[in-house]
Amino acid sequence: MYVIVDIETTGGNMKNGRITEIAIYRHDGHQIVDEFVSLVNPEAYIPPFISSLTGITNEMVASAPLFYQIAKDVVEICRGAVFVAHNAAFDYNFIKEEFRSLGYQFEMPTICTVKLARKLLPGHASYSLGKICPELGIGNDARHRAAGDALATVQLFEVLLKRNNGLLNPEDPYQAFSADGLHAQMTIEQIKALPALTGVYYIHNENGELVYIGKSKNIRNRIITHLGNPKTKKGIEMKQNAADISCFITGSELVALLKESEEIKLEKPRYNRAQRRSKSKIGLYHYTDRNGYLRLTLKPNTGVDIPSATFETLQEGRERLFQWIEEYELCQQLCGLYDGNHGCFQYQLKTCKGACVGEEIEKDYNRRVLQLLQKLSYGHSNLVILDKGRNDAEMAVVVVENGRYLGWGFIGEDTCIQTPEQFKEHITYYHDNGDTRSIISNYIRQKRYKKLIPY
């Protein structure tokens, strides 16, 4: 969904200029479905040269509503849409500044039809609205009035949309979409019909075989990127082989990440070769030695045992482990980072408490190791992560127990839960591994969940 917008103002600077008129046309990619047009009292003087340009006088706006009186209408018609305008930065920033003065944060993805026209309609001498529209046969009987310019921009946008096969990706709107190379069974309408929601998508070849699995916060936009105008050999080949696309909506990005990781390992799709390999090659493991001390060691992550932490390289693991040794006052020798028979180097400097030579009793040393391991184990041994569901009446649930990932599922917002244990009744169980541990830890660290319940 798009909103095509044009405004008139008292001047060209949003810091000292104010809006005098606004026109917004909501567009579903085929036609206008709603509109809002209004003069606005700018609470400021309109200079004569601006009035001569727009035809909007101080007398015309004297009885018009103030911006705060139409603000709700603007928010409602723009909800869930992409902001489109000719020289979008001007209109968008003016409106954003008006909302900022009201204490409201106005944020939307934007598409500029000037930039888009330069990309899709090269060769024009000028891309101003007054020059390019006549060249494309687009009339405008109300130039420099918000409704007239917005309706002309609507027609220009429809030309650009058609030129781009009816597909625009708001995340990368200036990336051309070419239908050349699409599989004969794949149609533009199929791509348009894909949900603009968070989940996992599956690309199948003409024999129904699964060739690629991916996740996205907006499945339709991601597929447009995949199949639009690939440059790499792999991308071109995948576009040619994409005969069908199916998807699984999760709502939760965490669940999408976990499901993608699980299914790539299980299905081993042709174009997911890099992702089939563990993203974390080095793991941090622990064991108890014959003297009762908990030891830490870095070694390749084989996928058999579950590491407490994972790293891309051994060097990255060593650097992080040195930081944790300092933070928790651990022994370099008992963490595998110092070889010697007479205590670690830190002990010789009197900064190690002497676990490496038996001076510190194992109970005291192990307590600090366990504190580190608990921190690495999602921060809590047992926890429930609640996240966005597939609709407003639902939540996604991820359960960790005894430091191990159990699985995920969905639960109704009004489901009666009396104990955290009951969340396990609503999940499907999956395998814990280094990649899932990394996914969950990062999600928790970035606090992207709705709610976290330790128990």
Side-chain angles (χ1 to χ4, degrees):
M1 197 67 72
Y2 308 93
V3 285
I4 291 85
V5 182
D6 190 81
I7 61 170
E8 301 302 330
T9 70
T10 60
N13 189 321
M14 67 180 182
K15 292 299 182 183
N16 50 39
R18 298 294 299 276
I19 294 174
T20 59
E21 189 175 38
I22 185 168
I24 304 174
Y25 293 93
R26 192 170 175 91
H27 199 285
D28 66 0
H30 301 283
Q31 60 187 358
I32 294 171
V33 295
D34 197 3
E35 65 180 74
F36 177 79
V37 180
S38 178
L39 285 168
V40 181
N41 185 336
E43 301 180 275
Y45 179 70
I46 303 175
F49 79 93
I50 294 292
S51 291
S52 66
L53 177 69
T54 65
I56 300 173
T57 66
N58 288 289
E59 292 74 23
M60 288 171 63
V61 299
S63 59
L66 303 177
F67 187 83
Y68 85 87
Q69 294 174 304
I70 66 167
K72 182 179 178 182
D73 296 312
V74 173
V75 169
E76 287 299 323
I77 197 170
C78 290
R79 193 181 303 279
V82 178
F83 187 103
V84 180
H86 207 69
N87 190 14
F90 175 85
D91 303 79
Y92 181 70
N93 286 327
F94 251 100
I95 295 173
K96 189 172 182 178
E97 182 66 18
E98 291 279 5
F99 276 107
R100 189 198 64 76
S101 69
L102 300 176
Y104 179 85
Q105 188 171 359
F106 184 81
E107 295 284 351
M108 294 181 69
T110 63
I111 292 177
C112 176
T113 49
V114 175
K115 294 180 181 178
L116 196 58
R118 286 190 177 124
K119 179 74 175 180
L120 300 178
L121 303 172
H124 288 270
S126 171
Y127 288 88
S128 70
L129 199 64
K131 295 289 180 64
I132 194 168
C133 282
E135 292 180 14
L136 297 175
I138 298 171
N140 184 356
D141 296 330
R143 186 80 176 97
H144 294 303
R145 288 298 297 270
D149 286 350
L151 285 171
T153 305
V154 168
Q155 294 183 65
L156 173 59
F157 180 68
E158 289 174 343
V159 169
L160 296 171
L161 200 58
K162 184 177 180 181
R163 179 62 64 93
N164 210 38
N165 292 292
L167 292 169
L168 284 175
N169 181 354
E171 295 173 5
D172 187 9
Y174 312 117
Q175 177 64 48
F177 184 94
S178 172
D180 294 340
L182 276 179
H183 192 279
Q185 294 178 25
M186 178 61 63
T187 67
I188 299 294
E189 293 307 314
Q190 278 178 275
I191 299 173
K192 285 183 181 179
L194 290 169
L197 300 171
T198 301
V200 179
Y201 57 91
Y202 309 86
I203 298 179
H204 307 263
N205 65 16
E206 61 185 12
N207 299 318
E209 297 169 340
L210 186 58
V211 296
Y212 187 82
I213 297 175
K215 76 89 195 166
S216 178
K217 291 188 287 186
N218 186 315
I219 291 174
R220 183 196 302 146
N221 287 349
R222 183 59 57 83
I223 293 299
I224 292 172
T225 300
H226 273 315
L227 306 185
N229 196 15
K231 302 298 183 184
T232 66
K233 180 180 178 181
K234 173 187 169 182
I236 294 169
E237 187 179 327
M238 190 163 73
K239 179 175 183 175
Q240 294 169 342
N241 281 300
D244 191 25
I245 299 167
S246 58
C247 53
F248 181 91
I249 304 304
T250 64
S252 164
E253 188 180 3
L254 174 58
V255 171
L257 286 163
L258 291 169
K259 186 173 177 63
E260 176 198 37
S261 177
E262 291 152 1
E263 295 194 336
I264 287 174
K265 287 182 172 60
L266 179 66
E267 301 291 345
K268 298 179 172 56
R270 176 179 178 181
Y271 296 114
N272 287 106
R273 288 193 185 95
Q275 292 156 290
R276 289 191 332 228
R277 296 189 293 270
S278 173
K279 299 181 182 65
S280 307
K281 301 179 179 66
I282 302 297
L284 176 67
Y285 299 86
H286 65 275
Y287 65 95
T288 304
D289 68 15
R290 62 184 180 182
N291 295 317
Y293 290 96
L294 275 172
R295 288 183 175 248
L296 300 177
T297 182
L298 293 165
K299 62 181 182 179
N301 180 10
T302 62
V304 177
D305 298 319
I306 306 300
S308 297
T310 55
F311 312 95
E312 284 289 324
T313 65
L314 180 60
Q315 181 61 30
E316 178 193 357
R318 287 175 61 87
E319 290 174 0
R320 291 292 290 141
L321 188 50
F322 273 121
Q323 292 173 9
W324 292 328
I325 287 171
E326 183 176 351
E327 181 180 354
Y328 288 89
E329 297 181 285
L330 303 183
C331 173
Q332 291 182 1
Q333 186 169 315
L334 296 190
C335 292
L337 297 182
Y338 183 84
D339 293 324
N341 299 319
H342 305 290
C344 68
F345 181 67
Q346 297 301 107
Y347 172 70
Q348 298 171 35
L349 296 177
K350 306 302 181 184
T351 57
C352 168
K353 296 179 183 292
C356 45
V357 294
E359 288 187 8
E360 183 181 20
I361 61 173
E362 65 272 15
K363 182 178 67 174
D364 292 341
Y365 180 79
N366 291 348
R367 176 174 47 80
R368 298 196 302 279
V369 177
L370 289 172
Q371 286 175 348
L372 169 60
L373 294 176
Q374 183 180 27
K375 173 188 175 180
L376 298 179
S377 179
Y378 313 116
H380 305 276
S381 294
N382 303 308
L383 61 90
V384 174
I385 304 167
L386 298 179
D387 206 8
K388 182 181 177 183
R390 295 167 293 188
N391 54 60
D392 292 340
E394 183 181 72
M395 292 183 294
V397 179
V398 176
V399 179
V400 171
E401 189 172 78
N402 296 323
R404 296 175 69 87
Y405 160 64
L406 293 188
W408 57 264
F410 298 98
I411 190 170
E413 286 271 8
D414 57 354
T415 302
C416 181
I417 297 291
Q418 296 179 322
T419 67
E421 288 281 336
Q422 291 178 295
F423 283 110
K424 292 193 292 184
E425 299 172 9
H426 300 274
I427 67 170
T428 300
Y429 285 73
Y430 293 97
H431 292 295
D432 190 7
N433 57 59
D435 288 338
T436 57
R437 183 173 292 267
S438 178
I439 289 168
I440 296 171
S441 296
N442 288 338
Y443 210 81
I444 291 174
R445 186 164 55 251
Q446 295 169 21
K447 295 183 178 180
R448 291 154 67 187
Y449 50 82
K450 287 182 67 174
K451 189 174 183 179
L452 190 145
I453 306 172
Y455 69 97

